Amino acid sequence: MPELPEVETIVRDLARLVPGATIARVEVLRPDLIERTSAGDFARALEGARIAGISRRAKNIVFDLGPDRLVVNLGMTGRLLVVPEADADPPHAGVRIRLSDGRVLLYHDVRRFGRLEVCPAGEWARRDGELGYEPLGADFTPRVLHELAGRSRVAIKTWMMDQRRVVGVGNIYASEACHRAAIDPRRPARSLTPDEAASLHAAIRDTLLEAIEFRGTTLLDYRDASGDEGGFAARLRVYDREGEPCPRCGGEIERIVQGGRATFFCGDCQR
DNA sequence: AACGCGCCCTGTCCGC
DNA sequence: TGCGGACAGGGCGCGT
């Protein structure tokens, strides 16, 4: 589900709502959501901790608890909601994190592809180091994109979604960025010229920034921390628009499958 | 090493 | 109306 803009929206919401709060009690309703430790250890590690800050790394929501980090990955259908006690028991509730002021940080996930884990800050720093460039970071330059892409024969759209290279771009924004850059998503990554790499670099950033502005894309499941939908779906240029005219050239938008995932593009103007 | 694929799980939608 | 199959925003582990 959520890609960088959706996770960023949730993180910004949470950064306004929960820093300074203390975790009173944790209830794990679906133990299969907890990564690496038992549900009991997970709850014990959180109870009594104070939330010092919230940040995003790739598609992960990271809570700074002092010595530890709580890391939440939403998978396809995960939601992280701040709700009053009365709303804390919906169907598909996965983990209830009760704050000492009475509010509940509720992890909700229909498909349960998401994961939560608590780990020492040092351990998280090591894993952070294995993730790729933040596409909105200053060190992600057109040259970096061109050099990294030059090492791979994978189709550029699939390449963009690999979190070891560039993080945060998922299936929706990969199609959207290829379209904005007018690049055929089937091209081998290493076939991009420096100019094409620069235009893809700009397209990735522009797409993600605009999607953040509109609080993300809700196709079906995505909700922000208040439970509201994102507004970017209406602005998608190709994703989920098979058969519609290309907004740039009027050609027909096609749907193909790459690596088992749907890709949408215009065969007329994406070269 | 790099890459492609199946799988995890539930709900929705579409065609028959 | 009912039913079976395809498909859905992610990421991991496997085999080649």
Side-chain angles (χ1 to χ4, degrees), chain A residues 225-258:
Chain A
S226 305
D228 295 325
E229 299 185 0
F232 197 69
R235 307 187 70 88
L236 294 172
R237 300 183 186 182
V238 289
Y239 189 87
D240 209 18
R241 297 200 183 283
E242 182 183 15
E244 294 182 33
C246 167
R248 179 168 45 223
C249 76
E252 185 169 324
I253 295 169
E254 301 174 44
R255 178 189 186 277
I256 59 173
V257 175
Q258 294 182 284

Side-chain angles (χ1 to χ4, degrees), chain A residues 15-135:
Chain A
R16 197 166 43 77
L17 293 170
V18 298
T22 298
I23 296 170
R25 180 159 173 71
V26 174
E27 295 157 67
V28 178
L29 294 91
R30 305 296 312 219
D32 55 341
L33 292 168
I34 308 302
E35 192 93 291
R36 261 178 275 273
T37 60
S38 69
D41 287 348
F42 174 84
R44 279 185 286 279
L46 290 182
E47 286 172 359
R50 178 179 172 276
I51 299 172
I54 320 262
S55 58
R56 179 190 59 75
R57 172 67 171 123
K59 299 173 191 169
N60 300 293
I61 301 166
V62 182
F63 292 79
D64 178 354
L65 305 177
D68 291 333
R69 299 288 178 268
L70 164 61
V71 182
V72 180
N73 186 295
L74 301 170
M76 291 279 236
T77 55
R79 299 177 185 176
L80 199 50
L81 305 160
V82 177
V83 297
E85 166 63 33
D87 298 337
D89 194 23
H92 303 298
V95 177
R96 271 198 291 271
I97 299 173
R98 297 182 182 280
L99 305 178
S100 54
D101 59 17
R103 293 178 302 165
V104 177
L105 190 55
L106 178 69
Y107 182 76
H108 175 282
D109 195 345
V110 171
R111 290 174 75 182
R112 301 199 308 282
F113 287 173
R115 292 293 177 262
L116 297 84
E117 71 169 300
V118 180
C119 67
E123 160 72 4
W124 174 246
R126 189 186 62 72
R127 303 240 307 280
D128 182 321
E130 293 171 359
L131 294 168
Y133 285 87
E134 282 291 336

Side-chain angles (χ1 to χ4, degrees), chain A residues 183-255:
Chain A
I183 291 171
D184 187 319
R186 298 166 292 190
R187 293 261 306 277
R190 68 179 184 186
S191 74
L192 267 59
T193 65
D195 279 356
E196 288 172 329
S199 98
L200 185 60
H201 173 269
I204 291 171
R205 288 198 182 213
D206 292 349
T207 304
L208 296 177
L209 286 170
E210 199 180 313
I212 291 169
E213 227 177 282
F214 284 83
R215 302 185 58 79
T217 300
T218 297
L219 295 178
L220 202 60
D221 298 296
Y222 168 69
R223 296 294 184 278
D224 66 21
S226 305
D228 295 325
E229 299 185 0
F232 197 69
R235 307 187 70 88
L236 294 172
R237 300 183 186 182
V238 289
Y239 189 87
D240 209 18
R241 297 200 183 283
E242 182 183 15
E244 294 182 33
C246 167
R248 179 168 45 223
C249 76
E252 185 169 324
I253 295 169
E254 301 174 44
R255 178 189 186 277

